[in-house]
Amino acid sequence: MPYPAPEPAPAPNPHAPAAPHTTPAPPASEAPSTDPRTPEPARTPAPARTPASAPVHTPTPLRRSHPTPVSVPLMPPELDALRAKPRHGESVAQRAGRAVRRAIASSPAAETAAVTHTAYAIQQPVTTGRQISVTSIRGGAGKSTVAALLALTYAHYRADPVLAIEADPALGTLPHRLGAREVRWSGTDLAQIVDPSMLITDLTGYLIPFPGGGWLLPGSQGAIGTRLDIDTYRVVMTSLRRYFATTVVDCETLPAEVARTALVTTQARVLVSPATPEGVAATRSVLDWVGGLHPGMLPTTVVVLSHVSPDSGLDVRKATEHLGIGGATVLPLPYDRHLAAGGAIRTELLGERTLQAAARIAAEAMNRAVSRGPGRQRPGGGPAAPATAPGSPTRPGPADPYGGHAAPADPHAAPPR
């Protein structure tokens, strides 16, 4: 008996809904526990996504703050009674005799010409700050007195800023000679806060003004044992040079380290010698040492023979010949009663000879500070030819009696600014 044929399977309906997808149940061992005593597994938090372009902030380091010094009087109040009334540098008889000689035998034209040439040398323009160091071989020679006279002279004649720096913090008397009453900021304090972005109006707030329009930077507040290291000296000198056209540095006595550094780094140097045979001999030894360092330093050196007594008994002419080696200039500073009494220098009380000597010393020092580069002497011959700008005509100018740059052509020209 034949088997019946199987019926064909129905064709799938494309419009029929699809059967829902079911996920197989996990085995009993993997099923989540419903027991409340079973803790849930710890979940690891997803790491935070940092944008690739986000800038990294670096905190700006804070500038170290320094304590503000307190003003300290230079002289205790109980010692003010020790000051005697300031006397004139010349006696009445000396002033009367000079007036008679001027009325009888004088040449107003010659006197005017001498004063004019001196003023030209002091007022000559400078391209960069000129720094002049003042030192001596021993204490008591009048080093701080000469430095104060130079600072007062430059401040009187020049219209640009003048600075006096005390680099002898232990026993220096420059603040006393320039009339300061109290000291607050010193060179060490200023070296820690000076900044290239400062203006001169910001800087003068840390300085002490003195007569004539100049500024003073003391070395210390008068404490014994205070020292000035080389790094502090270099920071002060290099930072303040662009603010002041003329800087007078009252250095320590030789052979201190700061004094030796100042002799080499300044554009001109003034070496003060007592007007005694012993002082002349010691100063000659210093000049020999300076010439051994560099022959070009002697033409930029001015030696001042300081007379600390009315009659020193020194032959000034022979002393000048003995010290004028290698191109150094020797000038005397006469005895002055006002200077010998100490204290603040009042220019109206100085003798006429002292004023003339101070102006001559300032003119010589400025001439040598300005002509340090093109005017210095060569080791094996005469002075080098002066440098001129490319393409500028070389034309000789009028002679200068002080051996430096020529004086301006206009005798009534205003001082440089």
Side-chain angles (χ1 to χ4, degrees):
M1 180 176 181
Y3 290 97
E7 297 181 358
N13 188 5
H15 301 285
H21 176 73
T22 58
T23 305
S29 60
E30 299 181 5
S33 174
T34 57
D35 190 353
R37 295 175 297 177
T38 304
E40 296 184 358
R43 298 181 179 180
T44 304
R49 300 180 62 184
T50 304
S53 60
V56 179
H57 175 70
T58 303
T60 303
L62 297 178
R63 190 172 184 177
R64 183 180 178 184
S65 60
H66 301 277
T68 302
V70 181
S71 298
V72 176
L74 285 176
M75 186 71 68
E78 60 271 14
L79 296 182
D80 287 340
L82 300 179
R83 297 182 182 274
K85 183 179 179 180
R87 296 191 302 172
H88 196 278
E90 295 176 335
S91 63
V92 177
Q94 290 175 330
R95 284 177 280 173
R98 188 181 63 252
V100 171
R101 289 190 300 270
R102 179 175 295 175
I104 296 177
S106 64
S107 175
E111 294 180 0
T112 303
V115 172
T116 302
H117 283 302
T118 304
Y120 285 171
I122 298 176
Q123 295 176 349
Q124 59 184 299
V126 296
T127 54
T128 57
R130 302 288 95 180
Q131 298 173 342
I132 303 171
S133 59
V134 183
T135 186
S136 62
I137 191 62
R138 62 183 63 174
K143 170 181 62 66
S144 298
T145 300
V146 173
L149 287 174
L150 288 176
L152 291 170
T153 303
Y154 289 134
H156 173 75
Y157 280 94
R158 298 189 66 88
D160 41 26
V162 176
L163 175 66
I165 296 181
E166 183 187 30
D168 187 8
L171 298 174
T173 58
L174 186 62
H176 296 272
R177 298 305 248 167
L178 290 178
R181 291 290 183 178
E182 57 184 21
V183 173
R184 183 177 184 182
W185 298 91
S186 64
T188 304
D189 301 324
L190 187 61
Q192 298 173 352
I193 61 177
V194 67
D195 189 87
S197 62
M198 283 184 173
L199 302 176
I200 189 172
T201 53
D202 303 326
L203 195 62
T204 52
Y206 302 97
L207 306 176
I208 301 176
F210 63 83
W215 300 94
L216 166 67
L217 177 62
S220 68
Q221 294 183 339
I224 300 297
T226 305
R227 306 298 299 175
L228 179 67
D229 58 271
I230 295 297
D231 294 336
T232 302
Y233 172 79
R234 289 174 177 170
V235 169
V236 171
M237 296 299 290
T238 55
S239 301
L240 302 185
R241 181 176 179 179
R242 68 187 184 95
Y243 297 100
F244 299 93
T246 308
T247 301
V248 179
V249 187
D250 182 17
C251 302
E252 298 175 303
T253 56
L254 292 169
E257 188 176 10
V258 173
R260 289 187 280 114
T261 303
L263 285 179
V264 179
T265 56
T266 51
Q267 288 77 39
R269 52 211 54 84
V270 177
L271 189 59
V272 183
S273 170
T276 59
E278 297 81 4
V280 172
T283 305
R284 174 58 186 265
S285 301
V286 175
L287 292 175
D288 293 338
W289 171 74
V290 171
L293 291 179
H294 195 289
M297 293 176 61
L298 288 178
T300 58
T301 302
V302 178
V303 180
V304 177
L305 286 175
S306 177
H307 293 259
V308 295
S309 62
D311 186 10
S312 60
L314 181 71
D315 191 333
V316 178
R317 183 182 60 83
K318 292 183 179 180
T320 302
E321 294 176 355
H322 184 69
L323 295 176
I325 61 172
T329 301
V330 184
L331 297 174
L333 179 64
Y335 171 77
D336 190 281
R337 297 191 308 173
H338 179 62
L339 294 180
I345 297 177
R346 295 173 55 181
T347 54
E348 68 272 13
L349 295 180
L350 292 175
E352 184 175 353
R353 294 176 58 204
T354 304
L355 291 174
Q356 293 174 356
R360 180 69 183 272
I361 296 170
E364 292 283 356
M366 181 58 67
N367 274 331
R368 280 146 182 76
V370 172
S371 63
R372 178 174 183 261
R376 60 185 178 185
Q377 292 186 352
R378 297 172 181 173
T388 56
S392 60
T394 57
R395 183 178 55 185
D400 186 359
Y402 296 102
H405 284 232
D410 184 8
H412 303 288
R417 296 188 176 273

